[in-house]
Amino acid sequence: MTTRGRPRMRIGLVGVGRIGAFHAATLKGLPAVEQVVMADADPSRAELTAKELGAEFAPDVPALLTSGIDGLVIAAATSAHAELIEAAVAAGIATFCEKPVALDLAETQRVVELVEGSDVPVHIGFQRRFDAGYQAAAQQVRSGELGFIHHIRANTNDAFPPPAGYIPTSGGFFRDCTVHDFDIIRYVTGREVVSVYATGANRGEAFFGEYGDVDAAAALLTLDDSTFAAVSGTRYNAAGHDVRMEVLGSLGSIAVGLDEHTALRSMEAGVTFPGGDPHTTFMDRFRPAYVAELTAFTEVVAGTRDVPCTVRDALQAFRIADACELSRSENRVVLLEEIGR
């Protein structure tokens, strides 16, 4: 099959949980995609989801990789990411993988070396890079329209906490949640983080603390041009899913995520903004970005676009998250040079 003279592609997908099923439905709607072929650690679940979406089913990953797919989307459990990337690279199949690349820094570094030593494109899923607001902010910063940037404020506030069973394999708050803020700060500014100071607390359900995690955290990042970035987040924000960024410059200041859906109420008399319904999940907040992200991946598969978020980008965000976790546990400033490159 072709679209505008171009062959349409077959995309494999591993993992049909919430985000995997969401990605599958998105892929099915893209003009460049002819068919989605699905696999999961639970074959019956993959078969059922494939039937519901009109996709194909593969009984396992080896069968999926030899089913004639042009690209692979990895939405499986984090513990499987590194192994699946390695298998895809060995098969020469362009790959999209949800963050993180691996469970720890050493394994992430190993995968980075593997990918960079091959000619197989691997795109890591940090969807905020495809959000129109963040893209506009990056343009403003890099064009110099805001002058020099002196402060950034970024937050990720989840409307409700994940289930207890998710926490042991999540990597912790900084690696799982605010890592998105760390990546988008690098993307918007084009700068690197040189030091962090972080703290956190377990204010809600005890299971966070039982696994050594927190449900509210904050970090102060210093960038290599002396810009300060304050990052905060929580698992408990009943007002709604709230992801925003403020960029304050010498010639102007801008905000991303400040619209009718922002999960805030003004206490000033007569102010009705924001008046819309708040977002409740990250998929609500970033639905257009996810579509743009997977569209970009099809362009990577087609060879018409360079990888927009590399394994090394993911490594850098992971290093910042690791530095924050070390800072929280030791109650001190941590230099990024302390964290393996």
Side-chain angles (χ1 to χ4, degrees), residues 127-170:
Q127 85 282 355
R128 293 186 196 182
R129 290 175 175 237
F130 298 88
D131 176 79
Y134 285 111
Q135 290 180 338
Q139 189 279 326
Q140 289 265 306
V141 170
R142 298 185 186 205
S143 70
E145 293 178 56
L146 302 180
F148 65 82
I149 307 304
H150 45 82
H151 286 85
I152 293 172
R153 291 193 283 262
N155 65 267
T156 297
N157 299 329
D158 288 335
F160 44 83
Y166 175 75
I167 301 305
T169 59
S170 71

Side-chain angles (χ1 to χ4, degrees), residues 2 8 14 21 28 36 41 75 94 104-105 107 129 140 149 154 177 188 191 222 228-229 250 298 328 338:
T2 61
R8 299 179 71 199
V14 184
K28 283 287 291 182
V36 178
D104 58 40
L105 190 63
E107 184 72 347
R129 290 175 175 237
Q140 289 265 306
I149 307 304
C177 188
V188 168
R191 314 299 308 193
T222 301
F228 300 116
S250 60
T298 64
R328 180 182 76 85
E338 299 178 49

Side-chain angles (χ1 to χ4, degrees), residues 285-319:
R285 168 68 174 83
F286 289 109
R287 188 174 298 273
Y290 280 114
V291 174
E293 180 180 54
L294 288 178
T295 299
F297 175 59
T298 64
E299 294 166 356
V300 171
V301 174
T304 59
R305 179 172 184 163
D306 292 335
V307 174
C309 186
T310 67
V311 287
R312 187 159 294 276
D313 286 321
L315 172 63
Q316 292 300 87
F318 201 115
R319 290 180 66 225

Side-chain angles (χ1 to χ4, degrees), residues 180-199:
H180 284 283
D181 297 288
F182 304 150
D183 177 72
I184 205 62
I185 286 168
R186 292 184 65 248
Y187 170 78
V188 168
T189 65
R191 314 299 308 193
E192 297 293 348
V193 174
V194 295
S195 69
V196 309
Y197 178 74
T199 187

